[in-house]
Amino acid sequence: MPLFLKANITEEVCFAIWKIEESEAELTQLYKPSRAESEVLATFKVEMKRREWLSSRLALKILFPDQDYEVNKDAFGKPHISLEGVGISISHTKDFGAAAYSLTGPIGIDIEHDRDQITRISHKFLHPTEKPWAENQVDKLTQIWCAKEALYKLHGRTQLIFADQLVVGQPNPQQRANGQIIESGISSVFNVQWLKEADLNCCLAY
């Protein structure tokens, strides 16, 4: 079982990352999707996307072993699990799937590979307060993008302008910072935690 990483951020926040080494058939056999989930999978025309979807659900399954639950998306596309008092988030990227839960409120997780192209689009998501510490470096820009994706998933309700309404603080030596979601002039502050293994970036907002 290619469990890449599983860890608790706090006693109430945990995540898991699955590294895809199996074929689609093997992932399907491991996960055993329901009829409704099979219909969702059938909408993905690219095999790799189906494998990523399955891997993220297997990561979620690792977090809740031997428990029966369903995952449904609300009108905004935010996933919810049928376990009382549990918030979840799901992410996937090339060769990896991830899932996270929080027992204290909403959560967002995002995983991203380092990509040089991020420097070309940084003007679309950087807040003015982030530019001094981002320094146009790929690793720092990826951290910011990853954190904003995690905050966006945590929020999960309406469209947000990344450069204006999502603000990420500079990480401390423990790779933690505050993240803000700004709506109608009101700022809500959340915890942001980064982790990195090789070129895979992971960020949780909770």
Side-chain angles (χ1 to χ4, degrees), residues 31 57 60-62 64 67-71 81-83:
Y31 181 64
R57 270 43 179 199
L60 187 64
K61 197 171 183 179
I62 285 171
F64 301 103
Q67 294 192 57
D68 292 325
Y69 60 83
E70 293 181 0
V71 176
I81 194 168
S82 59
L83 297 173

Side-chain angles (χ1 to χ4, degrees), residues 78-108:
K78 182 179 175 68
H80 299 272
I81 194 168
S82 59
L83 297 173
E84 188 173 355
V86 180
I88 64 163
S89 184
I90 294 168
S91 182
H92 47 76
T93 191
K94 182 183 177 183
D95 296 330
F96 292 91
Y101 74 75
S102 171
L103 304 179
T104 59
I107 187 168

Side-chain angles (χ1 to χ4, degrees), residues 2 4 19 36 58 80 103 105 149 160 182 185-186 197:
F4 183 69
K19 185 175 183 180
L58 283 164
H80 299 272
L103 304 179
E149 281 284 342
L160 296 170
I182 303 169
I186 299 172
E197 293 286 339

Side-chain angles (χ1 to χ4, degrees), residues 96-185:
F96 292 91
Y101 74 75
S102 171
L103 304 179
T104 59
I107 187 168
I109 186 171
D110 190 59
I111 53 175
E112 303 279 350
H113 290 287
D114 287 338
R115 293 176 295 173
D116 291 339
Q117 301 95 313
I118 199 165
T119 58
R120 296 201 297 267
I121 63 167
S122 62
H123 65 281
K124 296 182 178 180
F125 66 84
L126 273 183
H127 188 271
T129 61
E130 297 157 354
K131 292 179 181 179
W133 66 268
E135 298 173 354
N136 208 36
Q137 295 184 30
V138 170
D139 57 343
K140 294 179 180 179
L141 291 172
T142 304
Q143 275 193 307
I144 294 170
W145 173 258
C146 204
K148 292 194 177 192
E149 281 284 342
L151 286 164
Y152 188 82
K153 292 177 181 181
L154 175 151
H155 176 266
R157 295 190 304 278
T158 56
Q159 296 293 323
L160 296 170
I161 301 171
F162 276 40
D164 297 332
Q165 294 179 270
L166 299 173
V167 185
V168 180
Q170 184 172 3
N172 66 15
Q174 290 74 43
Q175 295 300 295
R176 298 192 192 102
N178 287 333
Q180 298 179 63
I181 298 175
I182 303 169
E183 289 186 286
S184 302

